[in-house]
Amino acid sequence: MAQRLALQRLLALPTRGPLASHGRAFGTSAGRRSTFNVQDGSDFQDRVLNSPKPVVVDFHAQWCGPCKILGPRLEKLVAKQEGKVLMAKVDIDDHTDLAIEYEVSAVPTVLAMKNGDVVDKFVGIKDEDQLEAFLKKLIGA
Amino acid sequence: SVQAHKEEENPRKTMEVNGFMPVPDSYDYDLIVIGGGSGGLAAAKEAAKYGKKVMVLDFVMPTPQGSSWGLGGTCVNVGCIPKKLMHQAALLGQALQDSHKFGWQFTEEVKHNWMTMTESIQNYIGSLNWGYRVALRDKKVTYENAYGEFVGPHTIKATNKKGVEKLYTAETFIIATGERPRYLGIPGDKEYCISSDDLFSLPYCPGRTLVVGASYVALECAGFLAGLGLDVTVMVRSILLRGFDQDMANRIGEYMKEHGVNFIREFVPIKVERVEEGTPGILKVTAKSTTGDQIIEVEYNTVLLAIGRDPCTRKIGLDKVGVNINERTGKIPVNDEEQTNVPYIYAVGDILQDKLELTPVAIQAGRLLVQRLYAGTTTKCDYVNVPTTVFTPLEYGACGYSEETAVEKFGEENIEVYHSNFWPLEWTVPSRDNNKCYAKIICNTQDNERVIGFHVLGPNAGEVTQGFAAAIKCGLTKEQLDSTIGIHPVCAEV
């Protein structure tokens, strides 16, 4: 994707997630604690692989339509789990090495990780019930 | 060679100390491809099929305006793909106009949003860039986003965007570095003008645009910009579409003129200045006549330069390995097996001297070259009778000789030209031009009236031309063409 346009879009994007005011103050502050954007390889090591809590890793891309639907949907449901699971977001163009390492082909690809291992995975968009089940399985198992 | 690898952290020092690079006796890779575009990627993927250890280096030097892009080369990022999509956007605008006569009713005025179109197109390109990364990974081709240049026999230096340098060696190299748009060399060109490298990701609508040049890039861009509703002018130094059949070129020009594109003929810009800041802002262009002393000054929001493309061969260290290039054009002469004067260095794509600058040609040449290298085949790339299409508002498809070249090669008395105007059925109801679409074939009377040139001007020219190209490759004659019953009602039946 052309970089000048990508930058323009980033700057113009309205802030989503934790900082967007939606009236549900409780939901957003919990969201801020449980969802984060991966900064680099060592950040991934610290906050995902070494995380004491299970983590869902959302591999997404700016040019991917379904990712824009799945992202917020997943974030909302992760926040609902009250801190039992965390969510890491990885932009595959910014962190291509990470995406290649975890064999991401299509996006969105979501990995469920526990103690540094991939225990579950899905590709493509899912509805709220399916996501809820996915998260519950990760927390429960 | 051991020395070179040990002192990898400071390759420059090694070179300075030794004064030359030693020839390595074992290589890091079987094949290194410099350039991840149409030709480069095709060659790399093909080589991996034969179990070879392959590396691809791709790096985009940002334009003067700061534009850059991902893996895939010109075609995917700033060429064929976005061009065709924007051309399609313009055609859809025309279709909306036509639709009234076919019964579609809408009262709202139809406007075009540049940002919506550009974002959609860039999203698609982003998915292609990723797709290529995945494809390379799946085929186990090593990819580095780094600038490759030769530093010695069988050795290249790869510099990534952080400035980190690494050395790699390979038994064989393929240069597929492609080209970049040429600038005029006049005051204000790099600071204020854009090129096709910038246009397809421009983060604002270009507005009133001056397109400088009469290449197919210039005419295609002018065409779709006008089709999107912008005020477009084309400044032409001499003729349109040099190298193409001139009768067809003039018909294309006429059509564009009648459909709202302004032409300023026989002028060249000599200065570009910024009158007002903004996105897009206002630029003032000063131009001089090529036939007299007349000077004109005109203002535009955007100036798009499309005066030609230059090969990226001057700064990749070819002198260090002794590869000859044409000093004037920068192109690399190769034999009919795409080999340069240095036996282990090959080249494919737009950088080749005297070869067609088309994506499918680069892909075919790249694949066949690799098959000859590693699969023991002897098939060479056939550069004759390659079909092509120019996606101007009225599309032009061609295969084989232009009328001028046919006359020059075979003599006027040995050529017979069969031609016809046609009126696409879809154009009748909305009362669109009934005498603009045109087709002609050029036959060699000395060779059984063999069809040696095919030209068609009309909608979907690319789709129409492809089949005829295959027929021409089989040696189509006029008689065979006559005895082929047409499909009705389509343009191709003419």
mmCIF file of all heavy atoms in Angstrom, chain A residues 1-5 8-9 62-64 92-93 96-97 99-100 103-106, chain B residues 65-69 115 118-119 122-123 126-127 129-130 133-134 137 201-203:
data_model
loop_
_atom_site.group_PDB
_atom_site.id
_atom_site.type_symbol
_atom_site.label_atom_id
_atom_site.label_comp_id
_atom_site.label_asym_id
_atom_site.label_seq_id
_atom_site.Cartn_x
_atom_site.Cartn_y
_atom_site.Cartn_z
ATOM 1 N N MET A 1 0.847 -1.205 0.000
ATOM 2 C CA MET A 1 0.000 0.000 0.000
ATOM 3 C C MET A 1 0.870 1.237 0.000
ATOM 4 O O MET A 1 1.905 1.265 0.643
ATOM 5 C CB MET A 1 -0.839 -0.040 1.270
ATOM 6 C CG MET A 1 -1.833 1.078 1.345
ATOM 7 S SD MET A 1 -2.932 0.765 2.695
ATOM 8 C CE MET A 1 -3.917 2.213 2.612
ATOM 9 N N ALA A 2 0.491 2.287 -0.725
ATOM 10 C CA ALA A 2 1.328 3.478 -0.821
ATOM 11 C C ALA A 2 1.443 4.131 0.544
ATOM 12 O O ALA A 2 0.447 4.327 1.242
ATOM 13 C CB ALA A 2 0.719 4.440 -1.828
ATOM 14 N N GLN A 3 2.676 4.490 0.913
ATOM 15 C CA GLN A 3 2.887 4.930 2.289
ATOM 16 C C GLN A 3 2.364 6.311 2.602
ATOM 17 O O GLN A 3 1.969 6.594 3.700
ATOM 18 C CB GLN A 3 4.359 4.832 2.638
ATOM 19 C CG GLN A 3 4.705 3.390 2.932
ATOM 20 C CD GLN A 3 6.186 3.157 3.045
ATOM 21 O OE1 GLN A 3 6.965 4.086 3.182
ATOM 22 N NE2 GLN A 3 6.580 1.915 2.995
ATOM 23 N N ARG A 4 2.373 7.201 1.655
ATOM 24 C CA ARG A 4 1.912 8.565 1.945
ATOM 25 C C ARG A 4 0.435 8.541 2.304
ATOM 26 O O ARG A 4 -0.012 9.199 3.224
ATOM 27 C CB ARG A 4 2.105 9.425 0.704
ATOM 28 C CG ARG A 4 2.793 10.720 0.998
ATOM 29 C CD ARG A 4 3.103 11.436 -0.288
ATOM 30 N NE ARG A 4 2.636 12.795 -0.232
ATOM 31 C CZ ARG A 4 2.294 13.503 -1.289
ATOM 32 N NH1 ARG A 4 2.320 12.976 -2.479
ATOM 33 N NH2 ARG A 4 1.902 14.741 -1.169
ATOM 34 N N LEU A 5 -0.324 7.751 1.575
ATOM 35 C CA LEU A 5 -1.755 7.681 1.812
ATOM 36 C C LEU A 5 -2.034 6.994 3.138
ATOM 37 O O LEU A 5 -2.910 7.408 3.879
ATOM 38 C CB LEU A 5 -2.436 6.917 0.677
ATOM 39 C CG LEU A 5 -3.960 6.938 0.739
ATOM 40 C CD1 LEU A 5 -4.463 8.335 0.481
ATOM 41 C CD2 LEU A 5 -4.530 5.995 -0.294
ATOM 42 N N GLN A 8 -1.547 9.409 5.954
ATOM 43 C CA GLN A 8 -2.647 10.379 5.972
ATOM 44 C C GLN A 8 -3.854 9.789 6.656
ATOM 45 O O GLN A 8 -4.514 10.422 7.454
ATOM 46 C CB GLN A 8 -3.007 10.743 4.526
ATOM 47 C CG GLN A 8 -4.167 11.691 4.394
ATOM 48 C CD GLN A 8 -3.685 13.088 4.088
ATOM 49 O OE1 GLN A 8 -2.489 13.349 4.115
ATOM 50 N NE2 GLN A 8 -4.570 14.002 3.784
ATOM 51 N N ARG A 9 -4.134 8.505 6.309
ATOM 52 C CA ARG A 9 -5.307 7.851 6.879
ATOM 53 C C ARG A 9 -5.154 7.656 8.368
ATOM 54 O O ARG A 9 -6.076 7.847 9.130
ATOM 55 C CB ARG A 9 -5.522 6.511 6.217
ATOM 56 C CG ARG A 9 -6.310 6.663 4.950
ATOM 57 C CD ARG A 9 -6.638 5.416 4.271
ATOM 58 N NE ARG A 9 -6.557 4.241 5.092
ATOM 59 C CZ ARG A 9 -7.016 3.080 4.678
ATOM 60 N NH1 ARG A 9 -7.584 3.005 3.515
ATOM 61 N NH2 ARG A 9 -6.911 2.014 5.408
ATOM 62 N N GLN A 62 -4.394 -2.601 7.647
ATOM 63 C CA GLN A 62 -5.173 -1.393 7.352
ATOM 64 C C GLN A 62 -6.041 -1.559 6.125
ATOM 65 O O GLN A 62 -7.068 -0.907 5.993
ATOM 66 C CB GLN A 62 -4.221 -0.224 7.097
ATOM 67 C CG GLN A 62 -3.759 0.424 8.357
ATOM 68 C CD GLN A 62 -2.806 1.570 8.063
ATOM 69 O OE1 GLN A 62 -2.835 2.140 6.984
ATOM 70 N NE2 GLN A 62 -1.960 1.889 9.003
ATOM 71 N N TRP A 63 -5.583 -2.426 5.198
ATOM 72 C CA TRP A 63 -6.290 -2.542 3.938
ATOM 73 C C TRP A 63 -7.352 -3.647 3.989
ATOM 74 O O TRP A 63 -7.966 -3.968 2.975
ATOM 75 C CB TRP A 63 -5.307 -2.817 2.800
ATOM 76 C CG TRP A 63 -4.189 -3.743 3.159
ATOM 77 C CD1 TRP A 63 -2.923 -3.403 3.499
ATOM 78 C CD2 TRP A 63 -4.234 -5.187 3.206
ATOM 79 N NE1 TRP A 63 -2.177 -4.525 3.763
ATOM 80 C CE2 TRP A 63 -2.949 -5.636 3.596
ATOM 81 C CE3 TRP A 63 -5.228 -6.132 2.961
ATOM 82 C CZ2 TRP A 63 -2.634 -6.976 3.737
ATOM 83 C CZ3 TRP A 63 -4.925 -7.471 3.102
ATOM 84 C CH2 TRP A 63 -3.636 -7.879 3.502
ATOM 85 N N CYS A 64 -7.578 -4.206 5.147
ATOM 86 C CA CYS A 64 -8.477 -5.351 5.244
ATOM 87 C C CYS A 64 -9.830 -4.942 5.822
ATOM 88 O O CYS A 64 -9.921 -4.572 6.994
ATOM 89 C CB CYS A 64 -7.801 -6.404 6.115
ATOM 90 S SG CYS A 64 -8.910 -7.655 6.784
ATOM 91 N N ILE A 92 0.002 -6.390 10.469
ATOM 92 C CA ILE A 92 0.955 -7.261 9.773
ATOM 93 C C ILE A 92 1.921 -6.512 8.847
ATOM 94 O O ILE A 92 2.973 -7.041 8.506
ATOM 95 C CB ILE A 92 0.253 -8.379 8.965
ATOM 96 C CG1 ILE A 92 -0.665 -7.785 7.890
ATOM 97 C CG2 ILE A 92 -0.510 -9.295 9.893
ATOM 98 C CD1 ILE A 92 -1.187 -8.847 6.938
ATOM 99 N N ASP A 93 1.570 -5.303 8.429
ATOM 100 C CA ASP A 93 2.504 -4.542 7.591
ATOM 101 C C ASP A 93 3.600 -3.915 8.452
ATOM 102 O O ASP A 93 4.739 -3.800 8.039
ATOM 103 C CB ASP A 93 1.761 -3.446 6.809
ATOM 104 C CG ASP A 93 0.906 -4.047 5.698
ATOM 105 O OD1 ASP A 93 1.362 -4.997 5.045
ATOM 106 O OD2 ASP A 93 -0.229 -3.561 5.505
ATOM 107 N N THR A 96 5.806 -7.377 10.035
ATOM 108 C CA THR A 96 5.749 -8.483 9.090
ATOM 109 C C THR A 96 6.501 -9.715 9.595
ATOM 110 O O THR A 96 6.042 -10.839 9.415
ATOM 111 C CB THR A 96 6.320 -8.047 7.737
ATOM 112 O OG1 THR A 96 5.708 -6.815 7.371
ATOM 113 C CG2 THR A 96 6.029 -9.072 6.671
ATOM 114 N N ASP A 97 7.629 -9.512 10.243
ATOM 115 C CA ASP A 97 8.399 -10.660 10.739
ATOM 116 C C ASP A 97 7.566 -11.508 11.678
ATOM 117 O O ASP A 97 7.573 -12.737 11.602
ATOM 118 C CB ASP A 97 9.650 -10.189 11.501
ATOM 119 C CG ASP A 97 10.606 -9.463 10.574
ATOM 120 O OD1 ASP A 97 10.496 -9.679 9.347
ATOM 121 O OD2 ASP A 97 11.455 -8.700 11.063
ATOM 122 N N ALA A 99 4.291 -11.669 11.842
ATOM 123 C CA ALA A 99 3.207 -12.304 11.092
ATOM 124 C C ALA A 99 3.723 -13.521 10.324
ATOM 125 O O ALA A 99 3.080 -14.564 10.280
ATOM 126 C CB ALA A 99 2.580 -11.300 10.131
ATOM 127 N N ILE A 100 4.898 -13.381 9.742
ATOM 128 C CA ILE A 100 5.495 -14.486 8.993
ATOM 129 C C ILE A 100 5.840 -15.622 9.952
ATOM 130 O O ILE A 100 5.610 -16.798 9.650
ATOM 131 C CB ILE A 100 6.772 -14.015 8.270
ATOM 132 C CG1 ILE A 100 6.470 -12.884 7.302
ATOM 133 C CG2 ILE A 100 7.475 -15.186 7.602
ATOM 134 C CD1 ILE A 100 6.223 -13.289 5.890
ATOM 135 N N GLU A 103 3.007 -17.658 10.711
ATOM 136 C CA GLU A 103 2.413 -18.214 9.488
ATOM 137 C C GLU A 103 1.059 -17.624 9.143
ATOM 138 O O GLU A 103 0.148 -18.335 8.730
ATOM 139 C CB GLU A 103 2.294 -19.739 9.613
ATOM 140 C CG GLU A 103 3.676 -20.374 9.727
ATOM 141 C CD GLU A 103 3.634 -21.882 9.856
ATOM 142 O OE1 GLU A 103 2.554 -22.428 10.177
ATOM 143 O OE2 GLU A 103 4.679 -22.509 9.641
ATOM 144 N N VAL A 104 0.950 -16.311 9.317
ATOM 145 C CA VAL A 104 -0.294 -15.650 8.949
ATOM 146 C C VAL A 104 -0.339 -15.522 7.435
ATOM 147 O O VAL A 104 0.586 -14.998 6.823
ATOM 148 C CB VAL A 104 -0.374 -14.249 9.592
ATOM 149 C CG1 VAL A 104 -1.600 -13.503 9.114
ATOM 150 C CG2 VAL A 104 -0.363 -14.362 11.104
ATOM 151 N N SER A 105 -1.394 -16.037 6.797
ATOM 152 C CA SER A 105 -1.549 -15.872 5.354
ATOM 153 C C SER A 105 -2.616 -14.836 5.057
ATOM 154 O O SER A 105 -2.382 -13.847 4.401
ATOM 155 C CB SER A 105 -1.952 -17.182 4.701
ATOM 156 O OG SER A 105 -0.911 -18.105 4.808
ATOM 157 N N ALA A 106 -3.823 -15.101 5.576
ATOM 158 C CA ALA A 106 -4.934 -14.184 5.315
ATOM 159 C C ALA A 106 -5.255 -13.436 6.593
ATOM 160 O O ALA A 106 -4.959 -13.881 7.703
ATOM 161 C CB ALA A 106 -6.135 -14.971 4.838
ATOM 162 N N GLN B 65 8.216 13.636 -3.942
ATOM 163 C CA GLN B 65 7.086 14.042 -3.106
ATOM 164 C C GLN B 65 6.951 13.157 -1.876
ATOM 165 O O GLN B 65 6.081 13.394 -1.045
ATOM 166 C CB GLN B 65 5.781 13.986 -3.924
ATOM 167 C CG GLN B 65 5.720 14.959 -5.070
ATOM 168 C CD GLN B 65 5.823 16.400 -4.615
ATOM 169 O OE1 GLN B 65 5.323 16.762 -3.553
ATOM 170 N NE2 GLN B 65 6.508 17.232 -5.379
ATOM 171 N N GLY B 66 7.753 12.110 -1.782
ATOM 172 C CA GLY B 66 7.720 11.266 -0.591
ATOM 173 C C GLY B 66 6.918 9.990 -0.721
ATOM 174 O O GLY B 66 6.757 9.241 0.248
ATOM 175 N N SER B 67 6.411 9.715 -1.933
ATOM 176 C CA SER B 67 5.608 8.496 -2.079
ATOM 177 C C SER B 67 6.480 7.258 -2.113
ATOM 178 O O SER B 67 7.571 7.273 -2.685
ATOM 179 C CB SER B 67 4.810 8.530 -3.379
ATOM 180 O OG SER B 67 4.059 9.708 -3.475
ATOM 181 N N SER B 68 5.975 6.183 -1.518
ATOM 182 C CA SER B 68 6.679 4.900 -1.575
ATOM 183 C C SER B 68 5.620 3.805 -1.555
ATOM 184 O O SER B 68 4.440 4.103 -1.411
ATOM 185 C CB SER B 68 7.612 4.791 -0.372
ATOM 186 O OG SER B 68 8.308 3.573 -0.428
ATOM 187 N N TRP B 69 6.065 2.546 -1.698
ATOM 188 C CA TRP B 69 5.073 1.466 -1.733
ATOM 189 C C TRP B 69 5.704 0.130 -1.389
ATOM 190 O O TRP B 69 6.910 0.029 -1.186
ATOM 191 C CB TRP B 69 4.393 1.413 -3.099
ATOM 192 C CG TRP B 69 5.344 1.428 -4.246
ATOM 193 C CD1 TRP B 69 5.976 0.359 -4.830
ATOM 194 C CD2 TRP B 69 5.795 2.586 -4.967
ATOM 195 N NE1 TRP B 69 6.782 0.782 -5.852
ATOM 196 C CE2 TRP B 69 6.699 2.140 -5.960
ATOM 197 C CE3 TRP B 69 5.524 3.947 -4.849
ATOM 198 C CZ2 TRP B 69 7.313 3.014 -6.849
ATOM 199 C CZ3 TRP B 69 6.147 4.824 -5.733
ATOM 200 C CH2 TRP B 69 7.023 4.339 -6.716
ATOM 201 N N MET B 115 -10.978 10.530 -2.740
ATOM 202 C CA MET B 115 -10.437 9.798 -1.589
ATOM 203 C C MET B 115 -11.052 8.415 -1.467
ATOM 204 O O MET B 115 -10.361 7.450 -1.173
ATOM 205 C CB MET B 115 -10.680 10.564 -0.286
ATOM 206 C CG MET B 115 -9.860 11.826 -0.144
ATOM 207 S SD MET B 115 -8.097 11.587 -0.425
ATOM 208 C CE MET B 115 -7.699 10.373 0.799
ATOM 209 N N THR B 118 -9.457 6.240 -4.169
ATOM 210 C CA THR B 118 -8.042 5.982 -3.923
ATOM 211 C C THR B 118 -7.853 5.025 -2.755
ATOM 212 O O THR B 118 -7.022 4.128 -2.801
ATOM 213 C CB THR B 118 -7.312 7.313 -3.652
ATOM 214 O OG1 THR B 118 -7.707 8.236 -4.647
ATOM 215 C CG2 THR B 118 -5.820 7.145 -3.711
ATOM 216 N N GLU B 119 -8.636 5.214 -1.688
ATOM 217 C CA GLU B 119 -8.530 4.309 -0.542
ATOM 218 C C GLU B 119 -8.869 2.888 -0.919
ATOM 219 O O GLU B 119 -8.179 1.946 -0.527
ATOM 220 C CB GLU B 119 -9.483 4.753 0.562
ATOM 221 C CG GLU B 119 -8.804 5.617 1.577
ATOM 222 C CD GLU B 119 -9.666 5.842 2.802
ATOM 223 O OE1 GLU B 119 -10.213 4.847 3.316
ATOM 224 O OE2 GLU B 119 -9.780 7.001 3.198
ATOM 225 N N GLN B 122 -6.006 1.486 -2.974
ATOM 226 C CA GLN B 122 -4.823 1.240 -2.152
ATOM 227 C C GLN B 122 -5.028 0.051 -1.228
ATOM 228 O O GLN B 122 -4.092 -0.705 -0.950
ATOM 229 C CB GLN B 122 -4.464 2.496 -1.348
ATOM 230 C CG GLN B 122 -3.848 3.601 -2.188
ATOM 231 C CD GLN B 122 -2.561 3.155 -2.861
ATOM 232 O OE1 GLN B 122 -1.754 2.428 -2.298
ATOM 233 N NE2 GLN B 122 -2.357 3.576 -4.101
ATOM 234 N N ASN B 123 -6.257 -0.136 -0.751
ATOM 235 C CA ASN B 123 -6.533 -1.314 0.079
ATOM 236 C C ASN B 123 -6.289 -2.582 -0.719
ATOM 237 O O ASN B 123 -5.697 -3.542 -0.235
ATOM 238 C CB ASN B 123 -7.982 -1.309 0.572
ATOM 239 C CG ASN B 123 -8.178 -0.374 1.735
ATOM 240 O OD1 ASN B 123 -7.201 0.081 2.326
ATOM 241 N ND2 ASN B 123 -9.411 -0.073 2.065
ATOM 242 N N GLY B 126 -2.655 -3.087 -1.117
ATOM 243 C CA GLY B 126 -2.086 -3.576 0.139
ATOM 244 C C GLY B 126 -2.248 -5.089 0.254
ATOM 245 O O GLY B 126 -1.333 -5.796 0.671
ATOM 246 N N SER B 127 -3.402 -5.590 -0.149
ATOM 247 C CA SER B 127 -3.618 -7.032 -0.064
ATOM 248 C C SER B 127 -2.725 -7.768 -1.049
ATOM 249 O O SER B 127 -2.265 -8.869 -0.778
ATOM 250 C CB SER B 127 -5.096 -7.380 -0.281
ATOM 251 O OG SER B 127 -5.461 -7.193 -1.620
ATOM 252 N N ASN B 129 0.325 -6.689 -2.009
ATOM 253 C CA ASN B 129 1.677 -6.646 -1.430
ATOM 254 C C ASN B 129 1.836 -7.788 -0.440
ATOM 255 O O ASN B 129 2.847 -8.487 -0.435
ATOM 256 C CB ASN B 129 1.936 -5.329 -0.664
ATOM 257 C CG ASN B 129 1.887 -4.093 -1.531
ATOM 258 O OD1 ASN B 129 1.414 -3.046 -1.096
ATOM 259 N ND2 ASN B 129 2.406 -4.183 -2.748
ATOM 260 N N TRP B 130 0.835 -7.960 0.411
ATOM 261 C CA TRP B 130 0.895 -9.024 1.423
ATOM 262 C C TRP B 130 0.886 -10.385 0.755
ATOM 263 O O TRP B 130 1.620 -11.287 1.132
ATOM 264 C CB TRP B 130 -0.269 -8.880 2.410
ATOM 265 C CG TRP B 130 -0.256 -9.972 3.404
ATOM 266 C CD1 TRP B 130 -1.089 -11.046 3.489
ATOM 267 C CD2 TRP B 130 0.707 -10.157 4.448
ATOM 268 N NE1 TRP B 130 -0.713 -11.868 4.514
ATOM 269 C CE2 TRP B 130 0.374 -11.358 5.116
ATOM 270 C CE3 TRP B 130 1.813 -9.414 4.882
ATOM 271 C CZ2 TRP B 130 1.109 -11.822 6.205
ATOM 272 C CZ3 TRP B 130 2.538 -9.889 5.959
ATOM 273 C CH2 TRP B 130 2.193 -11.068 6.607
ATOM 274 N N ARG B 133 4.230 -11.345 -0.338
ATOM 275 C CA ARG B 133 5.097 -11.739 0.789
ATOM 276 C C ARG B 133 4.817 -13.182 1.167
ATOM 277 O O ARG B 133 5.707 -13.984 1.408
ATOM 278 C CB ARG B 133 4.805 -10.894 2.030
ATOM 279 C CG ARG B 133 5.102 -9.440 2.038
ATOM 280 C CD ARG B 133 6.536 -9.059 2.118
ATOM 281 N NE ARG B 133 7.399 -9.924 2.887
ATOM 282 C CZ ARG B 133 7.942 -9.618 4.038
ATOM 283 N NH1 ARG B 133 7.646 -8.459 4.598
ATOM 284 N NH2 ARG B 133 8.750 -10.436 4.631
ATOM 285 N N VAL B 134 3.514 -13.499 1.279
ATOM 286 C CA VAL B 134 3.130 -14.853 1.671
ATOM 287 C C VAL B 134 3.585 -15.856 0.621
ATOM 288 O O VAL B 134 4.101 -16.928 0.945
ATOM 289 C CB VAL B 134 1.598 -14.935 1.886
ATOM 290 C CG1 VAL B 134 1.158 -16.369 2.062
ATOM 291 C CG2 VAL B 134 1.191 -14.104 3.079
ATOM 292 N N ARG B 137 7.200 -16.512 0.944
ATOM 293 C CA ARG B 137 7.470 -17.330 2.130
ATOM 294 C C ARG B 137 7.075 -18.778 1.875
ATOM 295 O O ARG B 137 7.811 -19.704 2.195
ATOM 296 C CB ARG B 137 6.691 -16.768 3.329
ATOM 297 C CG ARG B 137 6.891 -17.587 4.575
ATOM 298 C CD ARG B 137 5.881 -17.251 5.642
ATOM 299 N NE ARG B 137 4.552 -17.714 5.270
ATOM 300 C CZ ARG B 137 3.436 -17.212 5.791
ATOM 301 N NH1 ARG B 137 3.496 -16.241 6.679
ATOM 302 N NH2 ARG B 137 2.270 -17.662 5.410
ATOM 303 N N SER B 201 -1.747 7.325 -5.329
ATOM 304 C CA SER B 201 -1.957 7.342 -3.884
ATOM 305 C C SER B 201 -2.074 8.775 -3.397
ATOM 306 O O SER B 201 -1.932 9.059 -2.216
ATOM 307 C CB SER B 201 -0.789 6.659 -3.169
ATOM 308 O OG SER B 201 0.412 7.306 -3.519
ATOM 309 N N LEU B 202 -2.346 9.692 -4.312
ATOM 310 C CA LEU B 202 -2.432 11.101 -3.943
ATOM 311 C C LEU B 202 -3.493 11.296 -2.884
ATOM 312 O O LEU B 202 -4.649 10.934 -3.080
ATOM 313 C CB LEU B 202 -2.770 11.920 -5.199
ATOM 314 C CG LEU B 202 -2.351 13.370 -5.236
ATOM 315 C CD1 LEU B 202 -0.839 13.507 -5.143
ATOM 316 C CD2 LEU B 202 -2.852 14.031 -6.522
ATOM 317 N N PRO B 203 -3.112 11.882 -1.727
ATOM 318 C CA PRO B 203 -4.088 11.965 -0.631
ATOM 319 C C PRO B 203 -5.047 13.158 -0.745
ATOM 320 O O PRO B 203 -5.652 13.555 0.230
ATOM 321 C CB PRO B 203 -3.196 12.098 0.619
ATOM 322 C CG PRO B 203 -1.888 12.577 0.145
ATOM 323 C CD PRO B 203 -1.771 12.317 -1.322
#
